[in-house]
Amino acid sequence: MSLLSWGPASLTPVAAPADDGPGNPWFSWRYVTENADAIGTALRFHAGLTAQTVLIALLVAVPLAVVAYWIRPLTAPILALSGILYTIPSLALLSLLAPLVGTTSTTSVLIALVLYALLVLVRNSLAGLTQVPAEVIEAATGMGYGRFGRLWRVELPLALPGILTGLRLATVSTVALVTVGSLIGQGGLGDLILGGFRNNFYKAEIMTGTVLCVGLALILDLLLSGLGRLLTPWTRGRAA
């Protein structure tokens, strides 16, 4: 089963007063326990959508960065296009995608998130490739590596620090941007946050969604940081 199949469920939280009195606390264990299943569903949906977004964006961005690296006249247009896509307001982008994939479709949110993630990933991947020392490229060429062999065995491995930096930035920003999907009921933890505002400013619901969203971003960033240290051990020696 795809992680995206775990759609956000409707919550039935404990009734919240419309004021800021003690009956409407920011933290409520009662709210969490009574809505644990729905909260878990929203969290899994949020994490699954983030993972699919970053994976698809990475598969698109790295080839684009390679093209920009190999064909220098295309560098500016590729960077400009990814920059233009990033500047489109999220609500406007969802509206543009609605006639194509549906008004409340998870696919529309996924496409929008991928387009937003491209800028960071393309720029950092290209930066990593351009920072490969020229003498290393010359040595690889002298050893008989062709263009594709040099890219696969030399340039991409040495560009990994830049690519992973972009991956971390894209992942954290995607976790935040997924919440925008709550406008069409596909926002994962954002549905909790928006639902709290709509439910008489229910603080416990708002805070639960916010804390889980921030925690998810921190955990994913730490995991990717550890992966980066594992895949690029030479950077630790250089830093020391």
Side-chain angles (χ1 to χ4, degrees):
M1 180 184 293
S2 169
L3 286 173
L4 291 185
S5 63
W6 284 314
S10 59
L11 302 180
T12 51
V14 181
D19 55 34
D20 294 329
N24 186 20
W26 282 108
F27 296 95
S28 172
W29 186 246
R30 179 186 175 189
Y31 166 79
V32 174
T33 55
E34 291 188 357
N35 296 277
D37 291 341
I39 292 171
T41 298
L43 179 60
R44 290 192 297 271
F45 179 85
H46 202 115
L49 188 56
T50 299
Q52 293 201 26
T53 296
V54 174
L55 179 59
I56 295 172
L58 186 65
L59 292 176
V60 174
V62 172
L64 283 176
V66 171
V67 171
Y69 174 63
W70 279 351
I71 309 173
R72 296 308 168 93
L74 292 180
T75 301
I78 289 175
L79 292 178
L81 177 60
S82 60
I84 291 172
L85 292 173
Y86 192 81
T87 61
I88 301 176
S90 55
L91 187 57
L93 184 55
L94 290 174
S95 299
L96 291 173
L97 293 171
L100 301 175
V101 294
T103 306
T104 59
S105 169
T106 303
T107 305
S108 62
V109 180
L110 179 62
I111 294 174
L113 293 173
V114 169
L115 294 178
Y116 286 137
L118 284 179
L119 176 64
V120 175
L121 286 169
V122 170
R123 284 184 180 274
N124 282 273
S125 299
L126 181 59
L129 288 168
T130 56
Q131 289 173 3
V132 177
E135 57 269 21
V136 173
I137 297 176
E138 293 175 2
T141 303
M143 295 173 63
Y145 285 111
R147 188 178 229 187
F148 288 97
R150 189 174 65 236
L151 174 71
W152 183 252
R153 293 179 176 272
V154 178
E155 292 169 313
L156 281 178
L158 291 178
L160 266 180
I163 296 173
L164 289 171
T165 297
L167 187 62
R168 290 176 63 185
L169 292 172
T171 300
V172 172
S173 64
T174 299
V175 171
L177 286 171
V178 168
T179 59
V180 176
S182 61
L183 295 172
I184 59 173
Q186 302 290 340
L189 296 172
D191 291 337
L192 294 179
I193 299 172
L194 184 60
F197 281 106
R198 290 174 172 172
N199 187 30
N200 290 336
F201 194 68
Y202 192 7
K203 294 179 180 178
E205 188 173 7
I206 297 170
M207 185 59 67
T208 299
T210 301
V211 170
L212 288 177
C213 189
V214 173
L216 178 62
L218 289 175
I219 291 172
L220 292 178
D221 186 57
L222 288 174
L223 289 175
L224 289 174
S225 176
L227 178 64
R229 291 175 63 85
L230 181 65
L231 295 178
T232 59
W234 64 87
T235 58
R236 298 200 299 271
R238 186 170 56 196

